């Protein structure tokens, strides 16, 4: 009998990649989202996790062996992030409790575990890099910690095992996603090519010159599956990155070459994408209409604010994967290959010309 999975946030970058992988591996997959999308081999479930009663009704007949939580909702303050996102996790796990049978719950968070929430991002006393899982929580309110605490409390109550997964910036595809650097950079490059504007790095000198890493959505999906099926990974938190490191001064040229634009010389000045793309919506709509693209609304493709947050950090950020390696997870994904594969897929899906 096939194992069953519930992927929460199945319309997002990580959720869609995870749902696809599980279906390919023969799992019976249900994909929950507020507005379900059509994924091969995935049964859609429509629910708003902020609505406890509606969530319970939607999941009444869903009995997953494993649950993969890959979603969150951005709010105007960290206090609201904590209130809303912890309630979403709590409502989900309460809704699944009557059916019993869930043996594993995986929660995807990220490096804000070490860097702090958006309101205090990369500020104050931070742990040394590379970030390691044994480094404790920062002394600051953080919705990632609140989500973890909901999972831990439900696990203690209901007896399932858990895993926490902390990717760096994720490379993958999902229209309407709030954290979407790969598509944002692709759209920015197309806009620069169209207008003749310089393809200018938006971030800090620390990010331009320092080492960094990223996480491919497909590799993260494999990591989630591995942790759900590996006894030694039970009740553990993991960093998860591609396995290579790079400097943006090198990657920026790689991306520029792919799109046929000239990378502007970097003089150390931070020029955020939110400023560079402030007037880009009508330009993008004109490109989309001319080229017959699938999404003319720039706001559903690009998330300049999030890309600016990552590329504007004042410190070098690299991530240690030793814990997963010691327990047997050896998958590796060169980050430039991940970008190029994403760009090819965006073209195939008519999201960029």
């Amino acid at each position: 009998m096939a194992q069953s999975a519930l992927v929460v946030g199945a319309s997002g970058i990580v959720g869609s990649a995870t749902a696809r992988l599980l279906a390919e591996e023969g799992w019976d997959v249900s994909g929950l989202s507020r507005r379900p999308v059509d994924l091969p081999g995935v049964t859609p479930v429509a629910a708003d996790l902020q609505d406890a009663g509606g969530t319970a009704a939607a999941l009444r007949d869903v009995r997953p062996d494993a649950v993969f939580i890959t979603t969150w909702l951005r709010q105007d303050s960290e206090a609201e992030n904590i209130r809303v996102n912890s309630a979403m996790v709590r409502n989900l796990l309460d809704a699944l409790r009557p059916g019993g049978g869930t043996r594993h719950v995986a929660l995807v968070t990220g490096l804000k575990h070490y860097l702090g929430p958006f309101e205090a991002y990369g500020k104050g006393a931070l742990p040394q890099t590379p970030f390691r899982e044994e480094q404790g929580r920062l002394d600051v309110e953080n919705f990632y910690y609140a989500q973890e605490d909901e999972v831990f409390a439900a696990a203690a109550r209901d007896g399932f095992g858990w895993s926490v997964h902390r990717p760096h910036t994720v490379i993958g595809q999902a229209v309407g996603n709030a954290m979407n650097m790969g598509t944002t950079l692709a759209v920015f490059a197309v806009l620069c090519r169209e207008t003749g504007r310089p393809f200018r790095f938006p971030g800090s000198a620390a990010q331009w010159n320092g080492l960094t890493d990223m996480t491919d959505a497909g590799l993260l999906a494999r990591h989630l599956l591995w942790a759900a099926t590996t006894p030694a990974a039970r009740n553990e938190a993991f960093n998860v990155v591609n396995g290579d490191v790079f400097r943006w001064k090198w990657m920026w040229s790689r991306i520029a070459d792919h799109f046929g634009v000239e990378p502007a010389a970097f003089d150390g000045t931070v020029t955020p994408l939110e400023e560079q793309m402030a007037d880009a919506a009508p330009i993008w709509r004109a490109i989309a209409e001319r080229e017959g693209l699938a999404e003319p609304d720039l706001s559903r493709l690009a998330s300049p604010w999030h890309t600016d947050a990552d590329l504007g950090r004042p410190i070098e950020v690299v991530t240690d994967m030793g814990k997963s390696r010691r327990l047997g997870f050896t998958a590796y994904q060169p980050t430039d290959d991940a970008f190029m594969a994403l760009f090819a897929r965006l073209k195939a899906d008519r999201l960029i010309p």
Side-chain angles (χ1 to χ4, degrees), residues 157-244:
R157 177 190 71 195
D158 298 335
F160 57 76
W162 54 265
S163 59
V164 174
H165 304 254
R166 300 170 185 157
H168 200 164
T169 306
V170 177
I171 302 170
Q173 180 187 341
V175 174
N177 192 274
M179 301 167 71
N180 199 343
M181 180 189 285
T183 303
T184 298
L185 294 181
V187 167
F188 177 55
V190 170
L191 287 165
C192 290
R193 188 174 64 196
E194 176 79 10
T195 62
R197 297 176 184 178
F199 186 59
R200 189 178 305 282
F201 182 72
S204 67
Q207 292 301 305
W208 180 255
N209 294 309
L211 291 173
T212 192
D213 46 30
M214 293 183 73
T215 307
D216 178 72
L219 181 135
L220 176 51
R222 296 199 296 275
H223 195 262
L224 286 160
L225 175 57
W226 166 79
T229 55
T230 301
R234 181 183 173 94
N235 298 348
E236 295 286 352
F238 297 101
N239 297 329
V240 50
V241 287
N242 289 337
D244 64 343

Side-chain angles (χ1 to χ4, degrees), residues 12 15 23 118 139 184 241 247 288 301:
F118 288 119
D139 186 20
T184 298
V241 287
R247 302 180 199 277
L301 289 176

Side-chain angles (χ1 to χ4, degrees), residues 111-116 126-127 131-133 138 166 239:
L111 295 195
K112 285 189 289 297
H113 182 92
Y114 309 106
L115 286 162
L126 299 175
F131 295 138
R132 303 177 189 274
E133 295 91 345
L138 301 176
R166 300 170 185 157
N239 297 329

Side-chain angles (χ1 to χ4, degrees), residues 90-106:
R90 184 167 61 253
N91 292 342
L92 168 71
L93 298 178
D94 284 350
L96 292 171
R97 190 181 189 195
T102 297
R103 57 171 183 76
H104 183 84
V105 173

